[in-house]
Amino acid sequence: MSELDPIVVSLADRSYEIRVGAGSLGKLGEHLAPLLKSRKIAVITDPIVDGLYGEKVRSSLTSAGFSHTRVVVPSGEEHKSLTQLERVHEALAAARIERKSALVAVGGGVIGDLTGFAAATFLRGIDVVQVPTTLLAQVDSSIGGKTGVNLKSGKNLVGAFHQPRFVLADVETLASLPPRELRAGMAEVVKYAVILSPDLFALLEKNADALNAHDRTVLADVVHRCAALKAQVVMEDEKESDRRAILNFGHTLGHAIEAVTEYRRFLHGEAVSIGMVFASRVSRLRSGFAPESEKRVARLLERFGLPVGIPAELDSGELARAVETDKKRDESRVKFVEVEELGRTRFELLSTTEIEEALRSD
Ligand code: NAD
Ligand code: GLY
């Protein structure tokens, strides 16, 4: 197997294809040749990904006739910053990247978000291609056009919607991912299943062992399904005026846990895993989510080695206050995503007092 059916994200003149496959990275140049307006492009990556896949990317682009500049941004969330954005912009200017040129982001969500924002802002906007190499980036961040960088005051506070021109996800790159990063990405996979697809949920239950063992056929199928689900949500609500906010399932408490533990203790997906178990409990208490379904969600997350309980030492009041400062608030209430049954969600506006009460309940 090399590539599965293309997924088309239909957004008028911002439409694009997502290609998911196993071993398809070497075809990058071939895919881009008919799509891009200029043969002069820039690849933005990080040192780890560059060391693993840089050569393959370079030779594929060169064979397809592209000349490219490479900009290597240090790995890590702290480098999704205005400082690195300026470095990238200066490198693009020095390489005389033009309006018709494109940036190619090869890496995880940090590289994808930074590069997407660099493309949105350089010369008032040039094309970006996303080549995600983490599970989280393949199923989530490379799709949908949210780009940006962090400020000292908070994550993703500066950004823009800038849809990619093309997305190429090669699941073979996941073989080199640290196991903890793969598990964290699995949390977002489970999220899609809970909020959008009982079929995917059943498939994950059946294939959890194969996924944990990096079975590339199952991984490609799962990444493909998740990418298609995300694409559908993005097509329904590109700028998150309403529907797209369902993707925040588990993220309200997840973000709060990340914030109170100062982004050190948990990877994003791990915090979201705990957040989804909490959101499932709130859903049982307020939206009739069946107790058996609630248990299935926690069991599935545990099979992927993800944490499911709020650490006892985290104070409910402090967590509720952190929820309050999260940016997805509507006036005094938080737009909380609840699940009525697997695949069906609703929003409920909750006060921080109600969240604090839920944190203290069973
Ligand atoms: P990441 O980009 O920091 O990558 C994690 C680590 O894995 C890094 O050290 C990286 O060098 C390494 N790595 C990447 N690919 C590898 C590979 N194939 N083999 C070995 N190592 C590899 O983390 P992430 O989880 O991919 O992304 C997190 C970022 O994504 C956050 O900044 C978050 O805000 C953002 N995000 C954005 C969206 C969006 O819609 N734009 C959605 C979700 C998350
Ligand atoms: N990660 C959520 C979104 O793209 O909307």
Side-chain angles (χ1 to χ4, degrees), residues 140 143-144 146 191 230 234 240 244 247-248 251:
D140 189 358
I143 305 160
K146 282 189 183 176
K191 176 189 82 178
K230 174 140 190 196
V234 169
E240 196 173 311
R244 186 165 171 171
L247 300 177
N248 295 326
H251 285 56

Side-chain angles (χ1 to χ4, degrees), residues 67-341:
S67 74
H68 67 279
T69 302
R70 178 176 37 140
V71 186
V72 181
V73 174
S75 304
E77 185 69 37
E78 68 274 28
H79 298 295
K80 200 174 102 176
S81 64
L82 288 169
T83 308
Q84 290 302 327
L85 180 73
E86 184 180 10
R87 255 199 73 225
V88 171
H89 279 158
E90 290 292 358
L92 300 178
R96 300 190 179 280
I97 290 296
E98 306 152 355
R99 287 293 303 275
K100 288 187 174 167
S101 300
L103 306 189
V104 181
V106 185
V110 164
I111 290 297
D113 281 12
L114 173 72
T115 305
F117 190 50
T121 45
F122 190 68
L123 302 178
R124 299 195 180 84
I126 64 173
D127 283 345
V128 65
V129 170
Q130 295 283 353
V131 184
T133 62
T134 63
L135 182 57
L136 178 137
Q138 295 190 349
V139 299
D140 189 358
S141 60
S142 63
I143 305 160
K146 282 189 183 176
T147 73
V149 295
N150 303 325
L151 294 183
K152 288 194 185 68
S153 337
K155 278 187 67 173
N156 299 321
L157 288 184
V158 177
F161 281 98
H162 189 58
Q163 296 294 341
R165 186 75 189 78
F166 182 69
V167 180
L168 179 76
D170 178 355
V171 298
E172 275 194 359
T173 62
L174 304 181
S176 55
L177 207 57
R180 193 176 168 199
E181 295 285 351
L182 189 81
R183 288 199 293 271
M186 215 48 92
E188 301 288 352
V189 169
V190 172
K191 176 189 82 178
Y192 289 115
V194 174
I195 61 173
L196 291 164
S197 175
D199 286 352
L200 176 60
F201 197 93
L203 186 138
L204 294 174
E205 288 181 319
K206 190 166 163 230
N207 290 287
D209 295 340
L211 287 161
N212 284 331
H214 283 255
D215 179 315
R216 61 182 212 149
T217 308
V218 184
L219 261 176
D221 180 30
V222 165
V223 169
H224 188 261
R225 284 168 186 257
C226 292
L229 290 167
K230 174 140 190 196
Q232 186 57 42
V233 173
V234 169
M235 287 189 280
E236 285 162 10
D237 176 21
E238 184 183 2
K239 300 271 173 78
E240 196 173 311
S241 42
D242 188 41
R243 168 90 174 146
R244 186 165 171 171
I246 63 166
L247 300 177
N248 295 326
F249 178 69
H251 285 56
T252 307
L253 185 69
H255 285 155
I257 290 175
E258 285 183 280
V260 303
T261 55
E262 298 175 340
Y263 298 93
R264 292 206 188 103
R265 177 160 167 194
F266 295 104
L267 293 178
H268 175 69
E270 294 167 341
V272 167
S273 174
I274 299 171
M276 286 194 288
V277 173
F278 172 69
S280 300
R281 186 164 87 231
V282 175
S283 300
R284 168 173 49 81
L285 296 170
R286 308 185 71 103
S287 290
F289 192 43
E292 179 48 29
S293 302
E294 182 194 359
K295 285 190 197 118
R296 279 174 75 194
V297 173
R299 273 200 302 264
L300 184 58
L301 291 164
E302 279 178 322
R303 284 187 71 194
F304 290 126
L306 286 159
V308 293
I310 302 171
E313 64 280 16
L314 298 187
D315 176 67
S316 307
E318 199 188 346
L319 282 171
R321 279 191 296 284
V323 166
E324 193 166 20
T325 52
D326 192 62
K327 62 182 158 43
K328 285 168 204 75
R329 291 178 67 231
D330 185 340
E331 296 174 356
S332 60
R333 285 159 183 262
V334 180
K335 190 173 182 177
F336 197 85
V337 188
E338 291 168 19
V339 52
E340 295 171 324
E341 60 182 73

